[in-house]
Amino acid sequence: MLGKVLMLSVLLAGVHSPDALASRSADADRGGDGPTAGQAEGVLLAQAGDVEIFYDGNGNRVIIDAYTGEVIAVQPPRRVRPMNRQALRRALRERELDREERYYLDDPEDMERLRRRKLGDYRLLPPPVDEYDYPDAAREPFVDEFPPAPGRRALPELREEPRVVEREPLEEAPADPSAPGDTIVVDPVTPPPMSFTAREDVAGIQVLMDRTGASPGVIDGKFGSNVDKAFDAYREITGTSLRSTDSAGIKAALAASGGDPFTTYTITAADAAGPFVAAVPADYSRKAELENLSFTSVLEMLAEKFHMDETYLKALNPEANFSRPGTIIRVANVGAPATRKVQRIVADKGRKQVRAYDEAGKLVTAYPATIGSTETPSPTGTHTVSRVAFNPNYTYNPKVNFKQGNNDKILTIPPGPNGPVGSIWIALDKPTYGVHGTPDPSKIGKTESHGCVRLTNWDAQELAKLVSPGVTVEFVE
């Protein structure tokens, strides 16, 4: 027992020692084998909370600077010693679990579940949610973007003794000294402060990409694969190379494309009036009973209007009452939709992106997309657009489509942005397949679909106005 205590003390000392960390980094640079089974898997960094940790498809641990998006380090998985039959069965079971539960590198909520899964805490993990065509399922609670690293303790709160501050009485004066009697002064509604944070700098990059037609999906102030794809498309559209760390170049490009990345917006009476639905049920038979699958709140409506993530819009305006006309809020200063007609569309399955080209073969727009899945793959080869429908109904046929819940009858789902195909349906010449919107824009490029091509509603609306029947749609791996 004493030997085990001593060994645990040595390991803990090694984990908390900067020299030990430096030694491991040096070994990794020399091509070492990485941590062994007896070493701790925790990653120690000087600045806790300033990094994000992901896992790539090869099992490598990828450490990314939360502010710049640059890769700090890539740690290969530890080598696995030859396994006996029991260990082999356990490994096969874990592989089956990995196939059952999909995680996505640029989804913070998925990565939090994966991180906890890797630590072995299976009992606390809720099963992952397949977001396709269940847009109205209860949203998951907000997850802190920078949870404490494994093995770290949260810092105790600093408490100050209460102080009594004596203030001088205020001298009140009427707003108009010439006016007799008492005067009631109403404070004018003032816009929120316009100071920028590091996360807002990332949102500024997303706004720039959005303005040029290189859509980053939702504007949420987070780096991820959708932003990386947008940078590549921006380079092809503009012929200009930009890096996420080139703050001067980004500011100049923002100024040239429309000014500051944020602006203010005053909520109108029409905004607050709706119409809205109290809730959108998950079951398709209950969806079919509604008159319209409208937005559920002013917040959701304005987030889509300004191409933003709802949580991020709320975080920008923590004190705002979104249901009150006259409220001034900060929003993304997005650009006008593209107008150049499209002659060819490429749905890139590997890149999870849709690219639209004009008659001369130049890239017009690019959108992050969800394209099919392993179980229900998207079409292959080249097809054409057959028709375009704005704000469409959705016909559910379990014999033709997929099986949703216990529904075994044909249902007509009413239109609306919270419908199964969002607010747009671009039908292909292959029956039941098309390019459409989604009620869950934050999941685009991060989950799977039932064979179709999903875009955010605003990206689908832009593309729908650029295409016409006969435009080719090429599916590439």
Side-chain angles (χ1 to χ4, degrees), residues 130-155:
D130 179 7
E131 296 293 342
Y132 178 77
D133 280 345
Y134 302 93
D136 29 38
R139 298 183 182 274
E140 295 177 334
F142 181 75
V143 179
D144 187 1
E145 291 180 52
F146 305 108
R152 291 186 183 273
R153 294 183 177 178
L155 295 177

Side-chain angles (χ1 to χ4, degrees), residues 253-327:
L254 280 168
S257 63
D260 292 338
F262 293 95
T263 186
T264 57
Y265 176 79
T266 302
I267 297 175
T268 66
D271 293 333
F276 302 105
V277 293
V280 181
D283 189 86
Y284 275 23
S285 62
R286 294 185 59 199
K287 276 185 171 70
E289 296 173 356
L290 300 177
E291 294 183 1
N292 195 288
L293 290 170
S294 306
F295 293 112
T296 59
S297 65
V298 180
L299 175 63
E300 184 185 21
M301 180 192 69
L302 292 179
E304 185 153 311
K305 179 183 180 71
F306 295 103
H307 307 180
M308 300 179 72
D309 175 69
E310 286 184 59
T311 302
Y312 185 51
L313 178 58
K314 181 65 177 176
L316 278 179
N317 304 275
E319 304 299 327
N321 182 350
F322 287 88
S323 300
R324 177 185 176 185
T327 301

Side-chain angles (χ1 to χ4, degrees), residues 169-193:
L170 297 176
E171 295 183 3
E172 298 183 359
D176 183 3
S178 62
D182 296 335
T183 302
I184 300 176
V185 180
V186 179
D187 293 334
V189 178
T190 57

Side-chain angles (χ1 to χ4, degrees), residues 5-17 24 38-40:
V5 172
L6 291 175
M7 182 176 292
L8 179 59
S9 301
V10 171
L11 286 175
L12 291 176
V15 168
H16 292 281
S17 170
R24 291 181 192 173
Q39 292 176 322

Side-chain angles (χ1 to χ4, degrees), residues 24 59 97 108 176 192 200 207 224 226 241 274 297 306 334 336 358 362 369 423 428 444 449 453 476:
R24 291 181 192 173
L97 288 174
D176 183 3
E200 290 174 16
V207 169
N226 286 348
S241 295
S297 65
F306 295 103
V334 295
D358 64 11
K362 294 184 177 180
S423 57
L428 302 183
I444 289 296
S449 75
V453 179
V476 298

Side-chain angles (χ1 to χ4, degrees), residues 398-412:
K399 295 182 180 179
V400 177
N401 306 123
F402 54 93
K403 185 71 161 56
Q404 195 273 334
N406 296 320
N407 295 304
D408 53 6
K409 297 180 181 179
I410 297 177
L411 300 171
T412 300

Side-chain angles (χ1 to χ4, degrees), residues 42-278:
V43 176
L44 295 183
L45 296 157
Q47 60 276 34
D50 293 338
V51 300
E52 293 178 333
I53 300 174
F54 304 100
Y55 291 87
D56 64 16
N58 296 322
N60 297 317
R61 185 191 295 253
V62 183
I63 306 174
I64 297 177
D65 190 302
Y67 297 115
T68 66
E70 293 185 343
V71 175
I72 299 174
V74 177
Q75 297 180 336
R78 64 184 181 183
R79 290 188 176 180
V80 181
R81 297 176 180 176
M83 294 181 290
N84 55 30
R85 288 187 177 181
Q86 182 178 2
L88 180 60
R89 284 196 298 268
R90 186 163 52 250
L92 291 175
R93 176 55 184 160
E94 291 178 356
R95 186 177 300 177
E96 291 176 3
L97 288 174
D98 285 336
R99 283 198 296 266
E100 295 170 3
E101 302 182 32
R102 296 183 177 88
Y103 298 90
Y104 301 89
L105 184 63
D106 50 2
D107 188 332
E109 297 177 6
D110 269 358
M111 291 315 303
E112 169 63 9
R113 290 196 291 271
L114 177 59
R115 184 186 70 82
R116 294 168 59 189
R117 165 84 180 279
K118 292 292 184 180
L119 292 176
D121 189 3
Y122 296 92
R123 292 172 298 176
L124 297 179
L125 297 181
V129 179
D130 179 7
E131 296 293 342
Y132 178 77
D133 280 345
Y134 302 93
D136 29 38
R139 298 183 182 274
E140 295 177 334
F142 181 75
V143 179
D144 187 1
E145 291 180 52
F146 305 108
R152 291 186 183 273
R153 294 183 177 178
L155 295 177
E157 296 183 1
L158 298 179
R159 298 183 178 179
E160 296 184 358
E161 294 295 329
R163 296 181 298 169
V164 178
V165 179
E166 295 184 359
R167 300 185 182 275
E168 295 293 332
L170 297 176
E171 295 183 3
E172 298 183 359
D176 183 3
S178 62
D182 296 335
T183 302
I184 300 176
V185 180
V186 179
D187 293 334
V189 178
T190 57
M194 296 296 289
S195 58
F196 293 93
T197 66
R199 186 173 177 184
E200 290 174 16
D201 286 343
V202 178
I205 295 173
Q206 293 174 316
V207 169
L208 174 61
M209 301 295 109
D210 185 277
R211 289 177 182 174
T212 57
S215 172
V218 293
I219 296 169
D220 57 4
K222 300 175 184 177
F223 279 113
S225 63
N226 286 348
V227 176
D228 294 337
K229 290 181 285 193
F231 265 108
D232 291 339
Y234 176 87
R235 187 178 301 110
E236 185 173 344
I237 292 173
T238 65
T240 304
S241 295
L242 275 181
R243 298 180 59 189
S244 60
T245 54
D246 183 9
S247 58
I250 291 169
K251 287 181 180 178
L254 280 168
S257 63
D260 292 338
F262 293 95
T263 186
T264 57
Y265 176 79
T266 302
I267 297 175
T268 66
D271 293 333
F276 302 105
V277 293

